[in-house]
């Protein structure tokens, strides 16, 4: 394949400086480090030819990647626009201001900080800025769908703070009565809502009521559902929570990174202090929790925020949720135990132990056919995290490829063909008949060819080596 000609195909003519640099960069990687080049090409080929149903995955438009890999990365820039600690930040100041303005517009927010290096880093900045070591946080437990940074004992958030966890009711929904009871008993300084594995809508207004009853600060972490929130497919926490955080690489189709957002509480005082949330958060990210920001990533966030506000992205998020509810219904019809009986967002959680195998066996068998999902512990799971009894599926990438609810039947059928043929040998070992594997893999390849990754060049990997055409 030729990276040069692929770039040419994307946009004719490519004579602007960043494009020339991108072409040159790809060619020099090939010449200077063919081993690494080959791996990156292989990965792109694999992404093009597999059916990604990993719920945290999406596809960044190539223009986002162009920003993330741009020469802006060379700039050193501690501080905020107009108040940097280094010279040479004028252009980056403009880029960061645009990123902040677009993030505020995309979410209807009063405040945005685009510097956090990840969703986890955004959460840590919030905690370190508002809590003293040993203070109490109340969050959804990891096994019930929460995130590591919501107080898990293996995370710094569970080690430096006193973490209390709430969970789910018998139907698999958040038990708000129990959240209130725990909040009154433990008087947390921060109440965290948001999840990594929870298929139902979050009631941010109810969470705020509980937080107000005990004088807690409400932090909404929308990393998984940020795209749905931006387009109104999920209720927004921006004016319910004091602070909202998110990853930018999941449903926002952006670069690796995080965002902190605030709505009506941005200029309120942090309880017990004379500092506003706005002032607190600015200092919490820099200098409290981070040094220099990642300038390329900030540019890529600006690009992603503009994409998020496009009609195309609105249509995409609608497809994501309708695909997910259709997929959940079809897997249910095929006899799978769908947790909570369905989904309100992009995520479908399944109990596969009920189908006779562990999560890891199901994940590996599906991957051997080109279908990517992830094993996931489910409430009251008896298996360790590396084994797990469940699977988490998501429709972000399927919908991005252009698949509609009408295509979910084929996906559910492929899934069922694999799991129906798996012969588990233990919690971690299995056999899958080769004729099933090759038949499903061929159908997956056909589907991927029918729904190519939009905006991405198709990559052919020749048997021997990759050839770069001279320009
Ligand atoms: C993924 C996720 C994060 C962490 O984001 P990173 O950018 O990977 O650090 C935080 N919170 C929730 C709920 C998540 O799902």
């Amino acid at each position: 394949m030729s990276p040069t000609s692929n770039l040419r195909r994307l946009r004719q003519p490519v004579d602007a400086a960043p494009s020339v640099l991108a072409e040159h960069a790809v060619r020099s990687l090939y010449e200077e480090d063919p081993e690494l080049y080959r791996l990156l090409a292989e990965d792109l080929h694999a992404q093009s030819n597999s059916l990604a149903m990993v719920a945290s995955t999406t596809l960044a438009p190539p223009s986002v990647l162009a920003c993330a890999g741009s020469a802006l990365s060379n700039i050193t820039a501690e501080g905020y626009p107009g108040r940097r600690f280094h010279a040479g930040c004028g252009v980056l100041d403009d880029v960061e201001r645009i990123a902040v303005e677009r993030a505020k517009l995309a979410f209807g927010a009063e405040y945005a900080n685009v510097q956090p290096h990840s969703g986890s880093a955004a959460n840590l900045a919030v905690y370190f800025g508002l809590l003293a070591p040993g203070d109490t946080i109340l969050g959804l437990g990891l096994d019930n769908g929460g995130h590591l940074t919501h107080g898990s004992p293996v995370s710094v958030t569970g080690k430096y703070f006193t973490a209390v966890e709430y969970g789910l009711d018998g139907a698999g929904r958040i038990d708000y009565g129990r959240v209130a009871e725990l909040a009154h008993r433990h008087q947390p300084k921060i109440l965290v809502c948001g999840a990594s594995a929870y298929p139902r809508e979050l009631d941010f207004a109810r969470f705020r009521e509980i937080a107000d009853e005990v004088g807690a600060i409400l932090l909404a972490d929308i990393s998984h559902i940020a795209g749905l929130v931006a387009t109104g497919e999920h209720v927004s926490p921006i004016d319910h929570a004091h602070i909202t955080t998110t990853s930018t690489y999941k449903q926002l189709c952006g670069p690796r990174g995080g965002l902190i957002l605030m709505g009506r509480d941005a200029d309120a005082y942090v309880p017990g202090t004379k500092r506003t949330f706005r002032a607190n958060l600015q200092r919490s990210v820099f200098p409290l929790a981070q040094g220099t920001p990642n300038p390329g990533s900030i540019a890529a966030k600006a690009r992603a925020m503009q994409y998020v506000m496009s009609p195309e992205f609105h249509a995409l998020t609608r497809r994501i949720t309708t695909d997910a509810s259709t997929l959940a219904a079809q897997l249910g019809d095929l006899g799978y135990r769908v947790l909570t009986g369905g989904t309100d967002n992009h995520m479908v959680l399944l109990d596969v132990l009920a189908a006779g195998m562990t999560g890891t066996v199901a994940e590996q068998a599906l991957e051997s056919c080109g279908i990517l999902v992830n094993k996931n512990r489910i409430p009251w799971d008896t298996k360790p995290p590396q084994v797990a009894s469940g699977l988490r599926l998501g429709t972000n990438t399927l919908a991005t490829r252009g698949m509609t609810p009408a295509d979910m039947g084929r996906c559910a059928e492929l899934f069922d063909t694999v799991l129906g043929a798996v012969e588990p040998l233990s919690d971690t070992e299995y056999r899958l008949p080769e004729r099933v594997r090759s038949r499903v893999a061929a159908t997956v390849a056909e589907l991927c060819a029918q729904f190519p990754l939009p905006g991405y060049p198709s990559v052919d990997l020749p048997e021997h080596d990759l050839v770069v055409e001279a320009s």
Side-chain angles (χ1 to χ4, degrees):
M1 78 155 221
S2 155
T4 312
S5 62
N6 278 332
L7 285 164
R8 287 251 162 69
R9 214 180 305 143
L10 283 178
R11 198 185 185 124
Q12 296 267 11
V14 277
D15 52 4
S19 311
V20 171
L21 178 60
E23 284 190 43
H24 178 72
V26 172
R27 196 177 316 119
S28 59
L29 176 65
Y30 175 78
E31 283 162 5
E32 293 164 19
D33 196 340
E35 185 185 12
L36 189 55
Y37 177 89
R38 167 100 205 175
L39 287 172
L40 298 188
E42 250 175 48
D43 172 68
L44 179 54
H45 184 260
Q47 286 188 40
S48 305
N49 293 288
S50 49
L51 225 42
M53 291 200 254
V54 174
S56 43
T57 303
T58 40
L59 194 73
S63 56
V64 167
L65 301 184
C67 295
S70 68
L72 209 57
S73 214
N74 299 329
I75 306 292
T76 299
E78 278 181 331
Y80 291 102
R83 290 183 298 115
R84 304 283 189 189
F85 289 80
H86 307 86
C89 298
V91 173
L92 176 61
D93 281 4
D94 288 345
V95 171
E96 184 165 344
R97 287 193 185 102
I98 288 176
V100 167
E101 283 316 307
R102 288 181 183 173
K104 283 160 65 179
L105 265 180
F107 286 94
E110 299 293 324
Y111 169 90
N113 192 312
V114 297
Q115 293 197 1
H117 294 313
S118 69
S120 299
N123 287 343
L124 292 185
V126 171
Y127 294 142
F128 290 140
L130 292 166
L131 301 175
D135 279 352
T136 301
I137 57 179
L138 174 60
L140 181 63
L142 195 61
D143 285 352
N144 289 318
H147 186 257
L148 284 168
T149 57
H150 298 181
S152 160
V154 299
S155 148
V156 65
T157 61
K159 292 186 194 294
Y160 280 53
F161 306 113
T162 305
V164 179
E165 63 178 60
Y166 55 87
L168 309 174
D169 63 19
R173 311 256 180 160
I174 286 172
D175 188 342
Y176 291 95
R178 180 89 177 128
V179 177
E181 192 187 311
L182 289 168
H184 281 273
R185 187 178 327 145
H186 296 280
Q187 299 288 311
K189 248 199 176 151
I190 294 185
L191 170 59
V192 191
C193 60
S196 300
Y198 185 69
R200 293 302 181 173
E201 182 144 290
L202 293 163
D203 188 346
F204 296 121
R206 180 83 183 91
F207 273 113
R208 180 58 185 260
E209 268 173 36
I210 296 170
D212 283 346
E213 280 167 28
V214 300
I217 294 164
L218 181 63
L219 168 63
D221 175 354
I222 56 168
S223 289
H224 254 275
I225 53 168
L228 305 184
V229 166
T231 61
E233 288 288 311
H234 189 293
V235 63
S236 169
I238 295 295
D239 285 321
H240 290 300
H242 294 85
I243 304 165
T244 298
T245 55
T246 179
S247 296
T248 49
Y249 69 91
K250 290 179 183 166
Q251 220 168 34
L252 295 178
C253 303
R256 298 275 135 183
L259 275 184
I260 301 177
L261 302 158
M262 287 191 286
R264 68 179 163 100
D265 289 301
D267 293 307
Y269 287 104
V270 176
T273 75
K274 291 201 169 107
R275 193 178 278 177
T276 61
F277 279 98
R278 183 190 298 271
N280 179 290
L281 265 292
Q282 283 295 91
R283 291 184 203 199
S284 298
V285 175
F286 174 85
L288 186 72
Q290 288 189 180
T292 57
N294 179 340
S297 180
I298 289 176
K301 285 172 195 176
R303 175 67 204 112
M305 289 303 113
Q306 195 190 45
Y307 174 56
V308 158
M309 288 186 277
S310 68
E312 185 191 341
F313 187 78
H314 276 241
L316 170 62
T317 57
R318 251 191 311 282
R319 214 157 53 235
I320 286 172
T321 52
T322 49
D323 280 358
S325 52
T326 307
L327 184 65
Q330 281 165 348
L331 290 169
D333 288 347
L334 288 166
Y336 291 91
R337 188 176 157 246
V338 178
L339 300 192
T340 76
T343 181
D344 298 328
N345 55 33
H346 62 301
M347 204 186 279
V348 180
L349 298 179
L350 297 176
D351 172 0
V352 286
L353 206 59
M357 73 200 78
T358 63
T360 189
V361 160
E363 177 189 302
Q364 289 174 56
L366 288 162
E367 184 174 14
S368 76
C369 304
I371 301 172
L372 309 180
V373 302
N374 77 282
K375 59 182 169 292
N376 207 81
R377 292 191 86 201
I378 58 177
W380 307 284
D381 208 318
T382 54
K383 303 288 183 191
Q386 287 300 331
V387 176
S389 302
L391 288 183
R392 185 183 66 167
L393 277 55
T395 51
N396 292 343
T397 308
L398 301 184
T400 304
R401 281 177 176 270
M403 292 188 190
T404 67
D407 303 304
M408 291 304 107
R410 287 166 82 188
C411 295
E413 220 172 274
L414 287 172
F415 179 95
D416 182 51
T417 303
V418 178
L419 295 204
V422 165
E423 301 164 37
L425 303 173
S426 70
D427 273 4
T428 53
E429 289 165 308
Y430 69 98
R431 260 205 317 261
L432 183 68
E434 178 51 30
R435 69 188 153 72
V436 175
R437 200 205 60 76
S438 57
R439 183 157 48 86
V440 174
T443 314
V444 166
E446 269 168 37
L447 260 181
C448 290
Q450 190 185 339
F451 296 97
L453 301 178
Y456 280 60
S458 65
V459 182
D460 297 319
L461 276 185
E463 288 291 309
H464 313 293
D465 205 349
L466 301 160
V467 182
V468 177
E469 290 163 6
S471 58

